[in-house]
Amino acid sequence: SSGINAEWPLRPGVCQGRDSLRARPQLYKNFIRTLHYHLKETPSDFFVDIVSRNNFLTTTLKLFFEALREEEGLDGELCARGSKFKVHLENYFSWDFSVDEEDDPVVVQL
């Protein structure tokens, strides 16, 4: 188990609470800033192998960035910070946060 996994016990609430994105934008701005500085101390090749690359952090951040993109009426500064942070992580760690078509919901006609 990676040490970074143990450091984020609040991750599900912070990254998956879409309703709170609108209600508590400052919390998420602080979250982005804190995570940015925490990851700044991480070497760019830290997540190179497939096990490290597909960790909870990349999966959770993908959900977070999707929420920032999809939710309407969010704080503009929060969305801008999130977008800038996403680009930084994609460039620095070579992560891909694009949405996969296979992740899209499947509509079944009855």
Side-chain angles (χ1 to χ4, degrees):
S1 167
S2 167
I4 198 165
N5 285 339
E7 296 178 23
W8 298 101
L10 301 177
R11 152 191 79 77
V14 172
C15 291
Q16 296 172 358
R18 286 184 174 220
D19 291 337
S20 67
L21 285 171
R22 200 170 355 286
R24 304 192 63 196
Q26 191 59 48
L27 170 73
Y28 292 95
K29 291 177 201 175
N30 291 341
F31 172 72
I32 290 168
R33 182 177 61 239
T34 301
L35 188 55
H36 169 75
Y37 286 112
H38 188 75
L39 290 174
K40 202 174 186 181
E41 300 298 320
T42 306
S44 63
D45 62 351
F46 184 78
F47 295 104
V48 170
D49 70 65
I50 193 69
V51 174
S52 294
R53 184 174 294 228
N54 293 321
N55 62 61
F56 89 93
L57 186 58
T58 56
T59 303
T60 304
L61 285 173
K62 183 175 181 178
L63 293 172
F64 179 61
F65 295 136
E66 282 178 28
L68 288 178
R69 189 184 69 252
E70 293 173 357
E71 292 298 309
E72 295 181 16
L74 295 180
D75 180 83
E77 184 183 346
L78 171 60
C79 291
R81 259 191 217 183
S83 180
K84 187 175 179 180
F85 184 48
K86 177 180 170 275
V87 169
H88 167 72
L89 293 175
E90 288 174 332
N91 291 332
Y92 188 71
F93 290 114
S94 299
W95 288 344
D96 181 11
F97 293 112
S98 59
V99 178
D100 299 326
E101 288 183 21
E102 65 188 39
D103 292 340
D104 289 347
V106 176
V107 177
V108 178
Q109 298 285 335
L110 297 176

